[in-house]
């Protein structure tokens, strides 16, 4: 009880300091979960109290919860090999020396994201940039630089290999088996969503609520491998318990123990600008 009070006090202090208007939290073990909700989910134009069922824009946790899990399921099914070049699956991709592993470990050399205004872009425009206009910032495998483009491509691989866009594939193969009933892309019940920011551009004017905050994912109609997932704190605890229980949640296997063990391993390190593969 004392630990819970101390945790909540830390969150309340941050709320009072203006770091964020509210937060939901969870402490998760293999067989137990403690959750709580504090503050407000909106403060403009009206104050709306937060609650445990608030749906949040998960931002780049889309990469962790959704895309990485989907990719590893495809590896287990024999549809994808981690060390294959991306061009094996996407012939229009112009960099033949970038592997799926490079994408997943952020060692591809691709830029951090798509630069410039995206308020007039659509999905086709995004892929035109990725296929035809981006240049490598470094030789693949020589540095570690976080890149949204890596995971946009990984999301596309899910679609190419399964015939389902990543929102549909993850719903069937991840969220439904895990009982993550409020998780997915483009939430229908936007009133349950926490607002993220005020936007004023050619696309929309107003508070972003129930629409993905990331501008590239927004241009892609809210469905992408790097961002776009919405979820609740309760749903996320299901995912965490699956990881803690070697890929199983309530008797349903989502990933193999071998895969879970691999996800825990350090795949690559960088020392003084030199990339080293752990032994």
């Amino acid at each position: 009880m004392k630990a819970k009070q101390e945790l909540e006090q830390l969150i309340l202090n941050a709320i009072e300091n203006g770091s964020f208007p509210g937060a939901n939290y969870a402490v998760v073990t293999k067989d137990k979960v403690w959750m709580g909700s504090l503050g407000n989910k909106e403060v403009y134009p009206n104050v709306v109290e937060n609650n445990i069922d608030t749906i949040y824009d998960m931002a780049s946790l889309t990469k962790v919860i959704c895309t990485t899990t989907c990719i590893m399921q495809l590896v287990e099914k024999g549809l994808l090999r981690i060390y294959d070049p991306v061009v094996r699956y996407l012939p229009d991709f112009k960099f033949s020396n970038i592997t799926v592993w490079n994408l997943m470990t952020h060692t591809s050399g691709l830029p951090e994201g798509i630069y410039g205004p995206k308020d007039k872009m659509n999905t086709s425009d995004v892929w035109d940039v990725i296929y035809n206009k981006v240049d490598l910032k470094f030789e693949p495998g020589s540095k570690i630089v976080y890149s949204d483009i890596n995971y946009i491509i990984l999301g596309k691989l899910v679609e190419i290999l399964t015939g389902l866009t990543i929102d549909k594939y993850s719903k069937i193969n991840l969220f439904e088996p895990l009982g993550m009933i409020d998780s997915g892309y483009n939430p229908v019940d936007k009133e349950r969503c926490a607002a993220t920011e005020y936007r004023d551009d050619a696309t929309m004017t107003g508070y972003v609520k129930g629409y993905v905050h990331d501008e590239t994912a927004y241009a892609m109609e809210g469905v992408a491998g790097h961002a776009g997932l919405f979820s609740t704190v309760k749903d996320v605890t299901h995912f965490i318990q699956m990881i803690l229980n070697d890929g199983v949640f309530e008797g349903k296997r989502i990933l193999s123990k071998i895969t879970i063990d691999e996800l825990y391993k350090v795949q690559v390190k960088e020392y003084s600008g030199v990339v080293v593969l752990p032994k």
Side-chain angles (χ1 to χ4, degrees), residues 9 16 106 119 160 167 180 185 189 192 199 204-205 216 222 245 256 274:
Q9 190 58 56
E16 291 170 4
H106 296 288
D119 53 1
I160 293 295
D167 58 328
M180 296 174 68
Y185 291 78
D189 191 353
R192 285 183 56 195
R199 185 169 175 176
M204 69 176 292
T205 298
T216 303
N245 285 287
S256 70
V274 178

Side-chain angles (χ1 to χ4, degrees), residues 77-144:
K77 293 175 181 178
L79 297 176
L80 176 71
R81 293 190 297 190
I82 292 294
Y83 296 103
D84 275 348
V86 175
V87 292
R88 176 171 181 175
Y89 309 99
L90 295 179
D92 292 333
F93 189 62
K94 66 180 180 179
F95 302 110
S96 61
N97 55 341
I98 294 178
T99 66
V100 176
W101 182 86
N102 289 139
L103 299 179
M104 297 189 76
T105 57
H106 296 288
T107 58
S108 68
L110 291 167
E112 294 91 335
I114 294 174
Y115 303 126
K118 292 172 275 290
D119 53 1
K120 295 183 180 180
M121 294 180 71
N122 58 31
T123 302
S124 295
D125 296 328
V126 172
W127 284 107
D128 178 57
V129 172
I130 292 173
Y131 284 146
N132 302 308
K133 298 176 182 177
V134 298
D135 294 314
L136 295 182
K137 299 188 71 175
F138 55 86
E139 186 67 20
S142 64
K143 292 183 179 181
I144 304 171

Side-chain angles (χ1 to χ4, degrees), residues 17-270:
N17 291 334
S19 299
F20 42 78
N24 288 349
Y25 71 88
V27 179
V28 187
T29 70
K30 288 185 177 183
D31 52 10
K32 292 183 180 180
V33 174
W34 294 267
M35 293 186 294
S37 181
L38 299 167
N40 302 304
K41 69 175 183 179
E42 294 178 43
V43 291
Y44 301 108
N46 300 307
V47 174
V48 180
E49 187 176 357
N50 199 17
N51 63 73
I52 205 71
D53 294 319
T54 297
I55 297 173
Y56 283 90
D57 181 335
M58 301 303 289
S60 281
L61 281 178
T62 303
K63 299 178 177 72
V64 178
I65 295 171
C66 185
T67 308
T68 296
T69 308
C70 292
I71 286 291
M72 296 312 292
Q73 285 183 339
L74 299 187
V75 171
E76 291 185 1
K77 293 175 181 178
L79 297 176
L80 176 71
R81 293 190 297 190
I82 292 294
Y83 296 103
D84 275 348
V86 175
V87 292
R88 176 171 181 175
Y89 309 99
L90 295 179
D92 292 333
F93 189 62
K94 66 180 180 179
F95 302 110
S96 61
N97 55 341
I98 294 178
T99 66
V100 176
W101 182 86
N102 289 139
L103 299 179
M104 297 189 76
T105 57
H106 296 288
T107 58
S108 68
L110 291 167
E112 294 91 335
I114 294 174
Y115 303 126
K118 292 172 275 290
D119 53 1
K120 295 183 180 180
M121 294 180 71
N122 58 31
T123 302
S124 295
D125 296 328
V126 172
W127 284 107
D128 178 57
V129 172
I130 292 173
Y131 284 146
N132 302 308
K133 298 176 182 177
V134 298
D135 294 314
L136 295 182
K137 299 188 71 175
F138 55 86
E139 186 67 20
S142 64
K143 292 183 179 181
I144 304 171
V145 176
Y146 188 92
S147 170
D148 281 344
I149 295 177
N150 290 336
Y151 272 75
I152 294 174
I153 296 170
L154 289 169
K156 186 68 170 180
L157 292 183
V158 174
E159 180 179 348
I160 293 295
L161 294 171
T162 68
L164 297 172
T165 52
I166 193 166
D167 58 328
K168 294 182 175 65
Y169 177 87
S170 59
K171 182 177 188 293
I172 296 168
N173 295 279
L174 181 59
F175 303 135
E176 288 181 350
L178 283 174
M180 296 174 68
I181 59 174
D182 291 314
S183 298
Y185 291 78
N186 293 317
V188 175
D189 191 353
K190 300 189 187 313
E191 287 305 309
R192 285 183 56 195
C193 298
T196 54
E197 70 166 353
Y198 184 84
R199 185 169 175 176
D200 186 7
D201 54 36
T203 301
M204 69 176 292
T205 298
Y207 290 95
V208 181
K209 180 179 176 181
Y211 296 94
V212 62
H213 172 269
D214 181 272
E215 292 180 354
T216 303
Y218 189 97
M220 299 176 72
E221 299 182 359
V223 179
H226 72 296
L229 175 64
F230 285 75
S231 189
T232 63
V233 66
K234 182 178 180 180
D235 279 7
V236 174
T237 67
H238 294 187
F239 177 83
I240 295 170
Q241 284 191 307
M242 179 272 291
I243 296 293
L244 293 176
N245 285 287
D246 295 328
V248 176
F249 178 76
E250 294 185 349
K252 299 175 184 176
R253 180 161 292 282
I254 308 300
L255 293 170
S256 70
K257 185 179 185 306
I258 293 174
T259 294
I260 297 296
D261 290 344
E262 193 66 24
L263 292 175
Y264 273 108
K265 291 180 183 177
V266 175
Q267 298 292 321
V268 62
K269 295 181 179 180
E270 186 173 342

